[in-house]
Amino acid sequence: MSRFDFSHPPFDTLSAAERDTLEANADIVFFDDESVILGPGQLVEALYVVIKGLVREMAGDEVIAVYRERDTFDARALVASGTTHRFVVHEEALVFSLPRTVVLQLTERNPRFGAFFYASVSQKFGALAERAGSRELQTLLTATVRDVGSRVPVTLLGHQTVRDAAAAMKAQRVKSVLVRHEDRLGIFTTTDFRDILLGDLPSSTPLASVAQFALLTVDIDDYLFNALLTMTRRNIRRLVVTERGEAVGMLSQVDILSYFSNHSHLIAQRLERASSLDELAEIAGQITRLVRILSSHGVKAPQLGRLVQTLNTRLFERTWKLIAPADVVANTCLVVMGSEGRGEQILKTDQDNALILRNGFSLPQLPGLAEAFSAALERFGYPPCAGGIMISRPAWRQTVADFSRTLQGWVDRPDGEALMNLAIFVDAEAVAGDASLLHACRSTLRAALVDDPSFYARFARAVEQFDTPLGLFAQLLTQEREGQAMLDLKKGGIFPIVHGVRALALEKGLTENNTFDRLDKLATCGALERELASDVGEALGFLLQLRLEQGLEEMAAGRAATSRVAPARLSTLERDLLKDALAVVKRFRTLLRHHFRLGNF
């Protein structure tokens, strides 16, 4: 069996004889943290391929590229026989060292192999100034609004007129002005001009009467990623930048366009403008590609989950509005549940949704509309729910009164199916229509939940459904699947955390849906020790990240993403972290057993 992975470019272009030549000359080299593999003035004698670890390419103190498993560096230096940059190990690295003479011989013999390297070199030279990939990594993880810079806002007073605003915008070449009136600060934009024209208001109208005083702001030291997320979620083009509570600047989409290359807010805009299901199907594919790009550039699963939830919300909302007439949208509330409702679904999994109808509203065509929605989601890559938890099923398409009776029944008769359905509904999030219909059902549920320890114990008992796959001496416990020793991350680790936290949150009457938000709130109210809440959050973050990486690998190989992982294929560091995460799961389950007295059932 080959020790070198020839399944990825450009090595997949080599013939059998060329592979033998490369492998016979390849050495495996270990570098410790902070080791400098290549540096200015150093003769470049090899091409490196990362087996595990992380290597940064540095220009001075700036990170301009990051290399991970399967990444190759540095073809540019190999051709030039030298580099002006430093390649520094950030996490201890194991790499293949491929001799320069052998690589250059192969590029001469194999045009496709050579074209890859020379095209890659050209591309790197051309994009070096832009540093697109590395900038995504650096900005998404560390850049703040302060790093980007923001435009000094143009401020007018409330008694000044719309005409004054137009003159100021023209003179200062801006598309918005801040409006200060008494002790309030508002904003007036070019979009507001349209509303004024349509409303036949005179140009002498005071700004105080037309400005928007519910400002959306971002702190100057907040992460740029959070600003992007707010713009995407709210479908807005600018945020007011504050420092110590005072407005100091304006951050626009143009500013973020110049700083980000993934354009996730453009996906949101495309969703808003989409006029057909064909367009939405294409955009749904873009969301998956965006996940792959951001994940490869270091954005972690919890943050990706939030962003995907925001985009999926827009996708589902637009889909429902294209399928259902306006009166149906106005008289219903489309909700997503489970991991989608919690903002923890990154890759497309089973549909979990429901439709709440206003009391008294009915339409003969409604079942057909619901079927069309479920079919559209399946087309977008969301497979039907095996348990039938979709709006195409009558049980998940009810009026507020009927849903309320259903919820009351789940609480009064908490058998296995009822508790499973209740757990799914607890994570419900409105994505389209009238959200007050969901709030009404939530109110019914809160009223139905009495201070009955036995009910919460039954609800929490599902954490015992699967064993934690960690043995007495910290060995990983696996099961044989398709000839490999596999471990199910969802059953063994993710579900016990998610459901355990959900049970505690339900008991405490918390309104948060996201597991990380629930953990923070539980720690704040004293229901969990802060240290344990932090450990559980870190463990969940790692398990979600590992699940995402494995899922992306499976999808790249043309398979459906699952939650199973083969520990033997993980690096030593990943296996150690997996053991640590599962140990936290065990600690948390012990707390849940004691808190809910699960031993009595």
Side-chain angles (χ1 to χ4, degrees):
M1 181 177 176
S2 175
R3 60 175 181 162
F4 192 91
D5 185 359
F6 290 100
S7 65
H8 60 98
F11 304 105
D12 58 351
T13 66
L14 295 176
S15 67
E18 289 166 344
R19 292 181 181 188
D20 291 341
T21 298
L22 186 68
E23 189 165 27
N25 289 277
D27 288 326
I28 296 178
V29 186
F30 172 79
F31 293 96
D32 209 342
D33 286 357
E34 304 305 322
S35 298
V36 177
I37 300 178
L38 292 175
Q42 182 178 342
L43 187 64
V44 179
E45 294 288 358
L47 183 73
Y48 297 97
V49 182
V50 180
I51 301 172
K52 72 169 187 175
L54 188 149
V55 178
R56 288 177 171 174
E57 182 178 357
M58 311 286 294
D61 293 327
E62 183 182 5
V63 178
I64 65 168
V66 177
Y67 302 94
R68 295 180 174 80
E69 182 181 353
R70 292 185 174 183
D71 286 345
T72 302
F73 67 93
D74 180 60
R76 180 179 62 248
L78 195 74
V79 174
S81 299
T83 178
T84 58
H85 298 162
R86 289 181 301 121
F87 293 78
V88 183
V89 176
H90 181 62
E91 295 174 0
E92 56 183 22
L94 197 64
V95 301
F96 281 112
S97 174
L98 310 178
R100 178 174 184 268
T101 54
V102 174
V103 173
L104 293 181
Q105 286 171 7
L106 290 174
T107 64
E108 292 173 1
R109 274 191 238 153
N110 186 323
R112 291 178 62 201
F113 184 75
F116 179 93
F117 278 100
Y118 285 103
S120 178
V121 171
S122 174
Q123 185 180 24
K124 288 179 181 178
F125 273 122
L128 186 60
E130 297 175 5
R131 303 184 181 101
S134 60
R135 176 164 292 181
E136 282 179 356
L137 170 70
Q138 189 178 34
T139 57
L140 285 170
L141 297 181
T142 64
T144 65
V145 174
R146 188 189 296 274
D147 295 327
V148 178
S150 56
R151 305 174 188 183
V152 176
V154 177
T155 305
L156 300 180
L157 300 177
H159 69 267
Q160 292 181 271
T161 66
V162 170
R163 180 182 293 275
D164 294 330
M169 288 182 184
K170 181 178 180 180
Q172 300 296 326
R173 297 183 179 180
V174 295
K175 295 185 177 182
S176 64
V177 295
L178 296 183
V179 179
R180 192 173 295 281
H181 183 64
E182 297 175 348
D183 61 344
R184 296 187 300 164
L185 188 67
I187 189 170
F188 184 81
T189 71
T190 52
T191 303
D192 296 321
F193 276 116
R194 177 194 62 196
D195 298 333
I196 288 172
L197 289 173
L198 293 175
D200 293 325
L201 292 175
S203 60
S204 59
T205 301
L207 288 172
S209 64
V210 291
Q212 304 294 323
F213 286 94
L215 285 181
L216 288 173
T217 65
V218 60
D219 188 83
I220 196 167
D221 290 318
D222 199 355
Y223 289 113
L224 189 62
F225 184 84
N226 290 337
L228 169 68
L229 193 59
T230 300
M231 285 187 180
T232 302
R233 180 179 293 129
R234 299 299 188 95
N235 191 28
I236 56 176
R237 294 182 175 86
R238 57 189 62 83
L239 290 171
V240 177
V241 179
T242 60
E243 185 172 16
R244 292 188 291 274
E246 293 295 322
V248 296
M250 297 292 297
L251 182 69
S252 70
Q253 280 188 347
V254 174
D255 302 319
I256 295 189
L257 266 172
S258 67
Y259 220 68
F260 282 92
S261 60
N262 58 73
H263 304 330
S264 59
H265 59 290
L266 296 183
I267 293 178
Q269 288 181 357
R270 285 200 65 195
L271 286 169
E272 196 68 27
R273 295 193 300 265
S275 58
S276 71
L277 295 180
D278 289 340
E279 287 184 73
L280 291 181
E282 180 185 346
I283 297 169
Q286 288 184 340
I287 295 174
T288 300
R289 288 193 291 274
L290 177 64
V291 167
R292 188 176 292 111
I293 291 169
L294 295 184
S295 177
S296 69
H297 289 154
V299 182
K300 298 304 180 185
Q303 288 73 36
L304 276 176
R306 303 274 195 165
L307 180 59
V308 170
Q309 180 189 39
T310 298
L311 295 175
N312 280 350
T313 294
R314 304 288 278 281
L315 174 65
F316 300 153
E317 177 186 27
R318 192 61 184 152
T319 302
W320 185 233
K321 286 183 176 179
L322 286 176
I323 291 173
D327 65 322
V328 174
V329 175
N331 285 282
T332 61
C333 179
L334 177 67
V335 303
V336 293
M337 299 174 291
S339 58
E340 185 69 63
R342 295 192 306 273
E344 294 159 20
Q345 178 175 290
I346 304 172
L347 300 177
K348 296 179 175 70
T349 58
D350 294 1
Q351 300 178 35
D352 280 325
N353 47 58
L355 190 68
I356 305 172
L357 284 62
R358 196 180 309 280
N359 289 333
F361 177 77
S362 63
L363 190 74
Q365 296 86 358
L366 193 58
L369 299 176
E371 288 280 0
F373 179 80
S374 296
L377 260 57
E378 183 176 3
R379 178 185 176 191
F380 299 163
Y382 299 89
C385 175
I389 304 171
M390 303 178 292
I391 70 171
S392 55
R393 302 292 181 91
W396 293 97
R397 190 180 66 245
Q398 302 185 57
T399 63
V400 171
D402 289 339
F403 252 120
S404 297
R405 281 190 286 272
T406 298
L407 289 167
Q408 184 72 56
W410 290 343
V411 174
D412 292 342
R413 297 175 294 280
D415 58 20
E417 183 179 359
L419 290 174
M420 180 191 72
N421 290 337
L422 183 60
I424 292 170
F425 187 85
V426 165
D427 296 335
E429 184 76 15
V431 296
D434 187 352
S436 69
L437 304 180
L438 174 60
H439 299 329
C441 291
R442 286 191 186 280
S443 296
T444 297
L445 178 59
R446 282 194 295 271
L449 293 171
V450 295
D451 188 15
D452 180 4
S454 65
F455 169 80
Y456 293 109
R458 290 190 183 92
F459 184 82
R461 194 184 178 195
V463 300
E464 301 283 46
Q465 188 174 353
F466 308 109
D467 292 331
T468 305
L470 189 68
L472 183 62
F473 299 104
Q475 76 273 25
L476 295 170
L477 305 179
T478 59
Q479 294 181 340
E480 194 76 12
R481 283 183 178 270
E482 300 175 358
Q484 289 192 84
M486 307 291 284
L487 181 152
D488 195 312
L489 295 171
K490 180 178 179 180
K491 292 179 179 179
I494 296 171
F495 176 78
I497 290 179
V498 167
H499 188 67
V501 172
R502 178 165 48 204
L504 291 171
L506 186 67
E507 182 187 41
K508 294 298 178 183
L510 303 185
T511 58
E512 287 75 12
N513 278 14
N514 180 266
T515 304
F516 297 95
D517 291 343
R518 286 170 171 169
L519 280 166
D520 183 64
K521 202 75 171 194
L522 288 168
T524 300
C525 72
L528 269 183
E529 292 183 2
R530 175 66 67 177
E531 182 178 355
L532 178 58
S534 177
D535 288 349
V536 171
E538 291 292 334
L540 178 60
F542 173 77
L543 293 170
L544 290 174
Q545 183 68 31
L546 192 56
R547 180 190 187 189
L548 171 63
E549 292 171 357
Q550 295 299 310
L552 288 172
E553 283 189 16
E554 289 170 321
M555 291 172 64
R559 303 191 301 272
T562 69
S563 297
R564 294 189 294 272
V565 61
R569 297 185 60 189
L570 300 177
S571 68
T572 302
L573 177 61
E574 287 172 326
R575 282 195 297 272
D576 289 343
L577 289 174
L578 178 56
K579 292 176 183 178
D580 290 342
L582 294 176
V584 172
V585 173
K586 276 195 165 185
R587 283 169 50 204
F588 184 53
R589 287 179 61 176
T590 299
L591 177 143
L592 293 170
R593 290 190 190 103
H594 175 75
H595 179 83
F596 290 110
R597 302 183 185 279
L598 298 183
N600 296 337
F601 289 86

